[in-house]
């Protein structure tokens, strides 16, 4: 993980968590207030709505459409967002469609997020299973947008009970205060398992 991510983010901007679900909880607490909104993909994974609801957040959809057997972002659907939207959530590869964001789609999302002062959260838990050489957006331009890439050991190595997650992020316009905020919330959990942490390096090597 570190070998790949270091090209796009600083090592100090990698935060370990007990799971990807916990990473969501940390980010929702860091970036949102109760009653704020996040944009989630449809089709999508219902767990995201549950995690948002537990933090008293509202979820609103943007859409993926299928034409000629290929899923694409409906970029126009990003324009239908409520007040107090704080996060655009991207799942790439998407569950259940398998859709992977293209660079064109990424640029459209970043343009909207920059204009509306959103953060972008990219759930890449299935990213290790892209076999067609599709480029991932770690090195793509994100302007001033804070961007978070989420992953987890249990998905990467196919061991559901081996819980260790991570977020690698670019602070964007939030600067140094974002690192302080993320670490403050993460430290309150004290949750990373020592056995999972010790196994991460040999299992990912």
């Amino acid at each position: 993980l570190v070998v790949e991510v270091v090209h796009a983010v600083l090592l100090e901007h990698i935060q370990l968590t007990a799971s990807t679900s916990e990473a969501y909880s940390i980010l929702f607490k860091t970036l949102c207030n109760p009653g704020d909104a996040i944009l989630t993909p449809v089709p999508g994974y219902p767990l995201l709505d549950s995690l948002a609801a537990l933090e008293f957040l509202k979820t609103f959809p943007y859409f993926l459409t299928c034409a000629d057997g290929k899923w694409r972002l409906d970029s126009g659907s990003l324009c239908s967002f409520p007040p107090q939207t704080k996060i655009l959530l991207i799942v790439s590869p998407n569950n259940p469609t398998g859709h992977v964001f293209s660079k064109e789609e990424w640029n459209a999302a970043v343009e909207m997020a920059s204009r509306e002062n959103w953060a972008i959260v990219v759930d890449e838990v299935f990213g290790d299973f892209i076999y067609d050489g599709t480029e991932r957006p770690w090195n793509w331009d994100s302007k001033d947008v804070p961007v978070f890439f989420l992953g987890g050991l249990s998905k990467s190595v196919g061991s559901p009970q081996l819980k260790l997650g991570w977020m690698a992020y670019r602070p964007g316009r939030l600067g140094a205060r974002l690192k302080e905020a993320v670490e403050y919330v993460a430290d309150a959990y004290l949750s990373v398992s020592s056995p999972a942490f010790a196994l991460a390096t040999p299992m990912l090597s």
Side-chain angles (χ1 to χ4, degrees):
L1 169 73
V2 171
V3 173
E4 293 179 295
V5 172
V6 72
H7 298 295
V9 303
L10 299 175
L11 290 178
E12 65 187 56
H13 293 151
I14 298 174
Q15 176 67 51
L16 297 180
T17 63
S19 64
T20 309
S21 294
E22 185 183 72
Y24 276 120
S25 180
I26 291 170
L27 289 179
F28 291 162
K29 287 179 172 66
T30 302
L31 299 172
C32 303
N33 293 312
D36 285 344
I38 64 174
L39 302 183
T40 57
V42 174
Y45 190 52
L47 175 63
L48 304 178
D49 297 300
S50 298
L51 293 174
L54 288 170
E55 302 295 337
F56 303 99
L57 302 178
K58 301 173 183 178
T59 55
F60 287 82
Y62 67 92
F63 296 95
L64 305 175
T65 60
C66 189
D68 302 322
K70 183 176 181 180
W71 289 92
R72 297 178 178 85
L73 168 69
D74 177 0
S75 57
S77 68
L78 291 176
C79 298
S80 299
F81 60 90
Q84 303 303 315
T85 296
K86 297 295 177 65
I87 294 173
L88 170 61
L89 177 56
I90 294 170
V91 182
S92 181
N94 177 267
N95 181 359
T97 69
H99 168 259
V100 177
F101 256 63
S102 68
K103 195 167 187 178
E104 180 182 7
E105 291 169 326
W106 175 259
N107 289 339
V110 166
E111 184 67 31
M112 180 68 78
S114 178
R115 183 164 65 247
E116 300 298 334
N117 292 322
W118 302 338
I120 292 178
V121 175
V122 186
D123 185 327
E124 291 194 311
V125 294
F126 296 109
D128 290 323
F129 304 100
I130 300 175
Y131 298 115
D132 62 0
T134 301
E135 187 179 1
R136 292 159 76 173
W138 292 343
N139 293 303
W140 294 349
D141 182 27
S142 54
K143 295 190 173 182
D144 62 338
V145 179
V147 178
F148 302 81
F149 300 98
L150 308 187
L153 185 63
S154 63
K155 295 290 194 304
S156 293
V157 300
S159 298
Q161 300 307 314
L162 192 55
K163 293 300 184 182
L164 178 67
W166 53 79
M167 65 176 82
Y169 60 94
R170 298 197 289 264
R173 60 179 171 271
L174 296 180
R177 62 196 177 103
L178 177 61
K179 179 176 181 292
E180 296 174 1
V182 167
E183 290 182 349
Y184 178 82
V185 178
D187 284 348
Y189 282 83
L190 298 174
S191 59
V192 178
S193 162
S194 295
F197 181 80
L199 286 170
T201 297
M203 294 195 74
L204 289 171
S205 298

